[in-house]
Amino acid sequence: MPGDITQGLSTTTELHGRYWRMEGYPHVTVIRGRADGCRIAQVAAASGHTVVLVDQTEDILAKSKNSIEENLRKMSKKKFAENPKAGDEFVEKTLSSISTCTDAASVVHSTDLVVEAIVENLKVKNKLFQRLDKFAAEHTIFASNTSSLQITSIANATTRQDRFAGLHFFNPVPLMKLVEVIKTPMTSQKTFESLVDFSKALGKHPVSCKDTPGFMVHHLLVPYLVKAIRMHEGGDLGAGYPMGPFELLDYVGLDTTKFILDGWHEMDAKNPLFQPSTSPNKLVAEKKLGKKTGEGYYKYKRCTASLASGRSFVSVL
């Protein structure tokens, strides 16, 4: 498999403690208690790591912890179907490994790895990492979960470019095995291998990616989605896939897709694939961001349990 970096490496057990300051599982700080950040914290804690989950308010963090507990209980019912007591113990142990905080700078001095999963905005990310860089321990590795921004541009806001890399998870994080590990020209081999170690400890399949727009998966996916938008705007519709491009766009979030396209257009304005599109811009302006708001290219019933049901296509032309 192209980019497979698990071949030739030691087992996860052998790798633990080899690249981190402390023996055993590294201490992890996850920045943002919503969306991906919440689930990254969950899988890290479930695999034995001590986790601090950081967000702006105690209310957000309380909702995040409740969401994690709810998700863990659903998973434990399936995983421990024949031993409910073991399932309850798993849930309680995982939750006890997660603490919360509203000030990242106050906790990064004792963490081994910071995973950032905040809004896809370069200036905001740079401001965060620039501040954390002043308080984090020298050995601490910084990683961004960005799906579209250049890792080098984020790392340059810090003085630890050799201890900075991309670590991109996919939704839903507890189920999706793939993790993109993005190494910049400045990222040290030690940092890279530490993040491979961490990903494998979570039960994930890490793949090595270059610091190019969209890394590997989105570099393939976004042009497909954009082509679907162009065809729809031209009057064509229908491919017969189980989940078509418009349903996937709604699932990803039209605001997220628009931000990615705007960023790529800024980097390569002459590329026809990255030109602004009418329909997503119109929907975003109307706050119709996809499944999370109840309407995007499709309308969703609030009570539906899955993307594949309870929806009707909305023409935005």
Side-chain angles (χ1 to χ4, degrees):
M1 177 179 179
D4 188 345
I5 54 178
T6 62
Q7 299 297 319
L9 289 179
S10 304
T11 65
T12 300
T13 303
E14 291 171 336
L15 282 168
H16 278 317
R18 188 161 130 203
Y19 298 110
W20 307 99
R21 178 193 56 166
M22 298 181 292
E23 290 298 320
Y25 291 87
H27 182 286
V28 183
T29 296
V30 179
I31 313 283
R32 200 185 188 205
R34 292 156 286 181
D36 285 0
C38 179
R39 299 300 166 223
I40 294 169
Q42 175 183 318
V43 296
S47 56
H49 300 81
T50 300
V51 180
V52 178
L53 184 59
V54 180
D55 213 311
Q56 295 173 313
T57 69
E58 294 290 352
D59 182 56
I60 292 172
L61 290 167
K63 290 178 180 177
S64 298
K65 285 283 293 238
N66 288 337
S67 176
I68 290 172
E69 181 174 2
E70 182 180 343
N71 196 264
L72 284 170
R73 294 202 180 281
K74 287 180 181 178
M75 293 177 63
S76 68
K77 285 183 179 180
K78 296 180 180 180
K79 186 176 181 179
F80 299 95
E82 298 180 4
N83 191 347
K85 184 179 179 181
D88 290 339
E89 291 174 353
F90 165 74
V91 172
E92 295 306 320
K93 182 179 180 181
T94 300
L95 290 174
S96 69
S97 298
I98 304 174
S99 59
T100 59
C101 181
T102 56
D103 181 17
S106 68
V107 295
V108 294
H109 67 281
S110 60
T111 198
D112 297 297
L113 171 64
V114 174
V115 181
E116 165 272 312
I118 65 173
V119 63
E120 289 284 79
N121 184 298
L122 181 59
K123 290 182 179 179
V124 175
K125 290 181 187 289
N126 282 350
K127 184 178 180 180
L128 170 69
F129 278 119
Q130 194 170 38
R131 180 167 182 260
L132 297 184
D133 194 34
K134 298 175 182 178
F135 296 94
E138 184 179 351
H139 78 279
T140 303
I141 291 173
F142 285 176
S144 176
N145 183 54
T146 181
S147 62
S148 62
L149 299 174
Q150 187 182 46
I151 299 299
T152 301
S153 297
I154 307 174
N156 285 341
T158 75
T159 60
R160 62 183 73 214
Q161 289 96 332
D162 61 322
R163 285 150 288 156
F164 203 115
L167 194 66
H168 181 222
F169 293 81
F170 293 86
N171 262 318
V173 176
L175 300 179
M176 298 295 282
K177 293 294 185 181
L178 186 68
V179 174
E180 294 176 322
V181 183
I182 302 97
K183 184 179 181 183
T184 77
M186 297 90 73
T187 305
S188 71
Q189 185 64 18
K190 180 178 178 181
T191 295
F192 176 72
E193 291 177 355
S194 294
L195 293 175
V196 170
D197 173 18
F198 176 66
S199 301
K200 292 176 70 179
L202 302 189
K204 303 301 183 185
H205 185 99
V207 292
S208 174
C209 299
K210 295 180 179 179
D211 192 17
T212 53
F215 314 131
M216 183 179 72
V217 174
H218 282 182
H219 195 73
L220 291 169
L221 177 63
V222 173
Y224 159 70
L225 297 177
V226 173
K227 183 62 176 178
I229 291 172
R230 301 274 193 268
M231 292 176 69
H232 174 230
E233 292 176 346
D236 296 319
L237 186 63
Y241 293 168
M243 179 186 286
F246 295 100
E247 196 170 352
L248 184 55
L249 281 161
D250 280 352
Y251 184 79
V252 170
L254 298 179
D255 53 337
T256 300
T257 304
K258 181 181 182 305
F259 187 86
I260 292 172
L261 281 176
D262 289 348
W264 290 10
H265 176 64
E266 187 175 331
M267 286 189 289
D268 188 4
K270 294 182 179 179
N271 192 325
L273 201 58
F274 302 155
Q275 299 305 306
S277 295
T278 303
S279 59
N281 289 349
K282 181 177 183 293
L283 289 168
V284 170
E286 295 172 351
K287 306 298 183 184
K288 298 173 181 177
L289 309 181
K291 190 170 185 291
K292 59 187 174 184
T293 60
E295 184 175 344
Y297 282 103
Y298 287 95
K299 284 185 177 180
Y300 299 87
K301 295 178 182 178
R302 295 293 182 180
C303 61
T304 51
S306 68
L307 256 170
S309 61
R311 54 176 175 67
S312 58
F313 194 79
V314 180
S315 176
V316 292
L317 299 180

